[in-house]
PDB file of all heavy atoms in Angstrom:
ATOM      1  N   TYR A  19     143.362 -48.616 -14.211  1.00 94.00           N
ATOM      2  CA  TYR A  19     143.981 -48.010 -13.033  1.00 94.00           C
ATOM      3  C   TYR A  19     144.480 -49.061 -12.047  1.00 94.00           C
ATOM      4  O   TYR A  19     145.478 -48.827 -11.341  1.00 94.00           O
ATOM      5  CB  TYR A  19     143.007 -47.030 -12.377  1.00 94.00           C
ATOM      6  CG  TYR A  19     143.126 -45.660 -12.999  1.00 94.00           C
ATOM      7  CD1 TYR A  19     142.548 -45.397 -14.237  1.00 94.00           C
ATOM      8  CD2 TYR A  19     143.871 -44.658 -12.395  1.00 94.00           C
ATOM      9  CE1 TYR A  19     142.689 -44.163 -14.840  1.00 94.00           C
ATOM     10  CE2 TYR A  19     144.021 -43.422 -12.990  1.00 94.00           C
ATOM     11  CZ  TYR A  19     143.430 -43.179 -14.205  1.00 94.00           C
ATOM     12  OH  TYR A  19     143.589 -41.956 -14.815  1.00 94.00           O
ATOM     13  N   GLY A  39     128.652 -58.173 -17.969  1.00 78.00           N
ATOM     14  CA  GLY A  39     127.534 -59.065 -18.235  1.00 78.00           C
ATOM     15  C   GLY A  39     127.229 -59.287 -19.697  1.00 78.00           C
ATOM     16  O   GLY A  39     126.524 -60.240 -20.034  1.00 78.00           O
ATOM     17  N   THR A  59     142.504 -46.102 -25.998  1.00 96.00           N
ATOM     18  CA  THR A  59     143.659 -46.417 -26.828  1.00 96.00           C
ATOM     19  C   THR A  59     144.136 -47.828 -26.495  1.00 96.00           C
ATOM     20  O   THR A  59     143.789 -48.382 -25.449  1.00 96.00           O
ATOM     21  CB  THR A  59     144.809 -45.428 -26.616  1.00 96.00           C
ATOM     22  OG1 THR A  59     145.232 -45.476 -25.249  1.00 96.00           O
ATOM     23  CG2 THR A  59     144.359 -44.010 -26.952  1.00 96.00           C
ATOM     24  N   ARG A  87     131.845 -37.408  -9.234  1.00 96.00           N
ATOM     25  CA  ARG A  87     132.351 -36.083  -8.870  1.00 96.00           C
ATOM     26  C   ARG A  87     131.204 -35.155  -8.467  1.00 96.00           C
ATOM     27  O   ARG A  87     131.325 -34.365  -7.527  1.00 96.00           O
ATOM     28  CB  ARG A  87     133.128 -35.481 -10.034  1.00 96.00           C
ATOM     29  CG  ARG A  87     133.760 -34.135  -9.719  1.00 96.00           C
ATOM     30  CD  ARG A  87     134.353 -33.467 -10.955  1.00 96.00           C
ATOM     31  NE  ARG A  87     134.872 -32.154 -10.626  1.00 96.00           N
ATOM     32  CZ  ARG A  87     134.124 -31.065 -10.465  1.00 96.00           C
ATOM     33  NH1 ARG A  87     132.805 -31.160 -10.589  1.00 96.00           N
ATOM     34  NH2 ARG A  87     134.675 -29.898 -10.170  1.00 96.00           N
ATOM     35  N   ALA A  91     130.492 -33.072  -5.121  1.00 97.00           N
ATOM     36  CA  ALA A  91     130.179 -31.646  -5.142  1.00 97.00           C
ATOM     37  C   ALA A  91     128.904 -31.352  -4.352  1.00 97.00           C
ATOM     38  O   ALA A  91     128.777 -30.289  -3.721  1.00 97.00           O
ATOM     39  CB  ALA A  91     130.034 -31.167  -6.584  1.00 97.00           C
ATOM     40  N   ARG A  99     131.566 -26.900   2.464  1.00 93.00           N
ATOM     41  CA  ARG A  99     132.970 -27.270   2.660  1.00 93.00           C
ATOM     42  C   ARG A  99     133.878 -26.432   1.754  1.00 93.00           C
ATOM     43  O   ARG A  99     133.655 -26.318   0.551  1.00 93.00           O
ATOM     44  CB  ARG A  99     133.135 -28.758   2.354  1.00 93.00           C
ATOM     45  CG  ARG A  99     134.538 -29.302   2.588  1.00 93.00           C
ATOM     46  CD  ARG A  99     134.525 -30.813   2.586  1.00 93.00           C
ATOM     47  NE  ARG A  99     133.900 -31.382   1.407  1.00 93.00           N
ATOM     48  CZ  ARG A  99     133.385 -32.612   1.347  1.00 93.00           C
ATOM     49  NH1 ARG A  99     133.415 -33.387   2.427  1.00 93.00           N
ATOM     50  NH2 ARG A  99     132.859 -33.060   0.241  1.00 93.00           N
ATOM     51  N   PHE A 110     142.904 -35.536 -13.405  1.00 88.00           N
ATOM     52  CA  PHE A 110     142.574 -36.735 -14.167  1.00 88.00           C
ATOM     53  C   PHE A 110     142.886 -38.010 -13.393  1.00 88.00           C
ATOM     54  O   PHE A 110     142.066 -38.932 -13.317  1.00 88.00           O
ATOM     55  CB  PHE A 110     143.337 -36.688 -15.497  1.00 88.00           C
ATOM     56  CG  PHE A 110     143.327 -37.962 -16.282  1.00 88.00           C
ATOM     57  CD1 PHE A 110     142.157 -38.453 -16.822  1.00 88.00           C
ATOM     58  CD2 PHE A 110     144.502 -38.668 -16.505  1.00 88.00           C
ATOM     59  CE1 PHE A 110     142.141 -39.627 -17.557  1.00 88.00           C
ATOM     60  CE2 PHE A 110     144.505 -39.837 -17.246  1.00 88.00           C
ATOM     61  CZ  PHE A 110     143.320 -40.308 -17.770  1.00 88.00           C
ATOM     62  N   LEU A 113     140.501 -38.599 -10.373  1.00 95.00           N
ATOM     63  CA  LEU A 113     139.177 -39.050 -10.797  1.00 95.00           C
ATOM     64  C   LEU A 113     139.243 -40.511 -11.244  1.00 95.00           C
ATOM     65  O   LEU A 113     138.336 -41.307 -10.950  1.00 95.00           O
ATOM     66  CB  LEU A 113     138.658 -38.171 -11.937  1.00 95.00           C
ATOM     67  CG  LEU A 113     137.199 -38.381 -12.337  1.00 95.00           C
ATOM     68  CD1 LEU A 113     136.265 -38.149 -11.152  1.00 95.00           C
ATOM     69  CD2 LEU A 113     136.834 -37.456 -13.491  1.00 95.00           C
ATOM     70  N   LEU A 130     125.730 -50.498  -7.069  1.00 80.00           N
ATOM     71  CA  LEU A 130     125.132 -49.668  -6.039  1.00 80.00           C
ATOM     72  C   LEU A 130     123.644 -49.441  -6.276  1.00 80.00           C
ATOM     73  O   LEU A 130     122.899 -49.136  -5.337  1.00 80.00           O
ATOM     74  CB  LEU A 130     125.848 -48.311  -5.987  1.00 80.00           C
ATOM     75  CG  LEU A 130     127.342 -48.342  -5.665  1.00 80.00           C
ATOM     76  CD1 LEU A 130     127.911 -46.933  -5.709  1.00 80.00           C
ATOM     77  CD2 LEU A 130     127.597 -48.959  -4.309  1.00 80.00           C
ATOM     78  N   VAL A 162     110.096 -26.772  -4.269  1.00 95.00           N
ATOM     79  CA  VAL A 162     111.205 -26.297  -3.445  1.00 95.00           C
ATOM     80  C   VAL A 162     111.514 -24.841  -3.797  1.00 95.00           C
ATOM     81  O   VAL A 162     111.793 -24.543  -4.965  1.00 95.00           O
ATOM     82  CB  VAL A 162     112.458 -27.166  -3.668  1.00 95.00           C
ATOM     83  CG1 VAL A 162     113.630 -26.633  -2.844  1.00 95.00           C
ATOM     84  CG2 VAL A 162     112.180 -28.618  -3.317  1.00 95.00           C
ATOM     85  N   LEU A 169     113.075 -28.629 -16.749  1.00 88.00           N
ATOM     86  CA  LEU A 169     113.119 -28.820 -18.194  1.00 88.00           C
ATOM     87  C   LEU A 169     111.692 -28.953 -18.715  1.00 88.00           C
ATOM     88  O   LEU A 169     110.836 -29.530 -18.045  1.00 88.00           O
ATOM     89  CB  LEU A 169     113.880 -30.101 -18.546  1.00 88.00           C
ATOM     90  CG  LEU A 169     115.382 -30.157 -18.330  1.00 88.00           C
ATOM     91  CD1 LEU A 169     115.885 -31.565 -18.616  1.00 88.00           C
ATOM     92  CD2 LEU A 169     116.081 -29.160 -19.235  1.00 88.00           C
ATOM     93  N   VAL A 187     111.317 -41.716 -25.961  1.00 96.00           N
ATOM     94  CA  VAL A 187     110.873 -40.968 -24.788  1.00 96.00           C
ATOM     95  C   VAL A 187     109.412 -41.276 -24.484  1.00 96.00           C
ATOM     96  O   VAL A 187     109.027 -41.506 -23.333  1.00 96.00           O
ATOM     97  CB  VAL A 187     111.067 -39.453 -25.001  1.00 96.00           C
ATOM     98  CG1 VAL A 187     110.418 -38.659 -23.866  1.00 96.00           C
ATOM     99  CG2 VAL A 187     112.553 -39.115 -25.100  1.00 96.00           C
ATOM    100  N   ALA A 197     102.741 -47.958 -14.897  1.00 96.00           N
ATOM    101  CA  ALA A 197     103.177 -48.532 -13.625  1.00 96.00           C
ATOM    102  C   ALA A 197     102.758 -47.682 -12.438  1.00 96.00           C
ATOM    103  O   ALA A 197     102.939 -48.098 -11.285  1.00 96.00           O
ATOM    104  CB  ALA A 197     104.695 -48.699 -13.631  1.00 96.00           C
ATOM    105  N   TRP A 199     104.071 -44.711 -11.687  1.00 97.00           N
ATOM    106  CA  TRP A 199     105.241 -44.049 -11.108  1.00 97.00           C
ATOM    107  C   TRP A 199     105.168 -42.536 -11.255  1.00 97.00           C
ATOM    108  O   TRP A 199     105.456 -41.809 -10.326  1.00 97.00           O
ATOM    109  CB  TRP A 199     106.518 -44.584 -11.741  1.00 97.00           C
ATOM    110  CG  TRP A 199     106.762 -46.024 -11.439  1.00 97.00           C
ATOM    111  CD1 TRP A 199     106.137 -46.774 -10.479  1.00 97.00           C
ATOM    112  CD2 TRP A 199     107.669 -46.904 -12.094  1.00 97.00           C
ATOM    113  NE1 TRP A 199     106.609 -48.066 -10.487  1.00 97.00           N
ATOM    114  CE2 TRP A 199     107.561 -48.180 -11.477  1.00 97.00           C
ATOM    115  CE3 TRP A 199     108.579 -46.756 -13.128  1.00 97.00           C
ATOM    116  CZ2 TRP A 199     108.312 -49.275 -11.863  1.00 97.00           C
ATOM    117  CZ3 TRP A 199     109.341 -47.854 -13.528  1.00 97.00           C
ATOM    118  CH2 TRP A 199     109.204 -49.090 -12.903  1.00 97.00           C
ATOM    119  N   VAL A 227     127.189 -40.135   0.083  1.00 96.00           N
ATOM    120  CA  VAL A 227     128.051 -40.606   1.170  1.00 96.00           C
ATOM    121  C   VAL A 227     129.137 -41.541   0.644  1.00 96.00           C
ATOM    122  O   VAL A 227     130.312 -41.439   1.019  1.00 96.00           O
ATOM    123  CB  VAL A 227     127.204 -41.305   2.251  1.00 96.00           C
ATOM    124  CG1 VAL A 227     128.094 -41.970   3.291  1.00 96.00           C
ATOM    125  CG2 VAL A 227     126.262 -40.300   2.915  1.00 96.00           C
ATOM    126  N   PHE A 228     128.750 -42.450  -0.251  1.00 96.00           N
ATOM    127  CA  PHE A 228     129.700 -43.423  -0.787  1.00 96.00           C
ATOM    128  C   PHE A 228     130.856 -42.723  -1.506  1.00 96.00           C
ATOM    129  O   PHE A 228     132.037 -42.978  -1.210  1.00 96.00           O
ATOM    130  CB  PHE A 228     128.977 -44.370  -1.744  1.00 96.00           C
ATOM    131  CG  PHE A 228     129.880 -45.312  -2.483  1.00 96.00           C
ATOM    132  CD1 PHE A 228     130.437 -46.413  -1.851  1.00 96.00           C
ATOM    133  CD2 PHE A 228     130.186 -45.104  -3.824  1.00 96.00           C
ATOM    134  CE1 PHE A 228     131.278 -47.283  -2.530  1.00 96.00           C
ATOM    135  CE2 PHE A 228     131.016 -45.977  -4.518  1.00 96.00           C
ATOM    136  CZ  PHE A 228     131.568 -47.060  -3.865  1.00 96.00           C
ATOM    137  N   THR A 238     143.009 -37.079   0.869  1.00 81.00           N
ATOM    138  CA  THR A 238     143.918 -37.106   2.015  1.00 81.00           C
ATOM    139  C   THR A 238     145.279 -37.651   1.598  1.00 81.00           C
ATOM    140  O   THR A 238     146.326 -37.120   1.973  1.00 81.00           O
ATOM    141  CB  THR A 238     143.337 -37.966   3.144  1.00 81.00           C
ATOM    142  OG1 THR A 238     142.091 -37.393   3.568  1.00 81.00           O
ATOM    143  CG2 THR A 238     144.282 -38.036   4.324  1.00 81.00           C
TER     144      THR A 238
END
Side-chain angles (χ1 to χ4, degrees):
Y19 273 77
T59 61
R87 183 188 177 282
R99 183 166 53 202
F110 168 66
L113 189 58
L130 299 178
V162 178
L169 290 174
V187 172
W199 295 346
V227 172
F228 173 75
T238 299

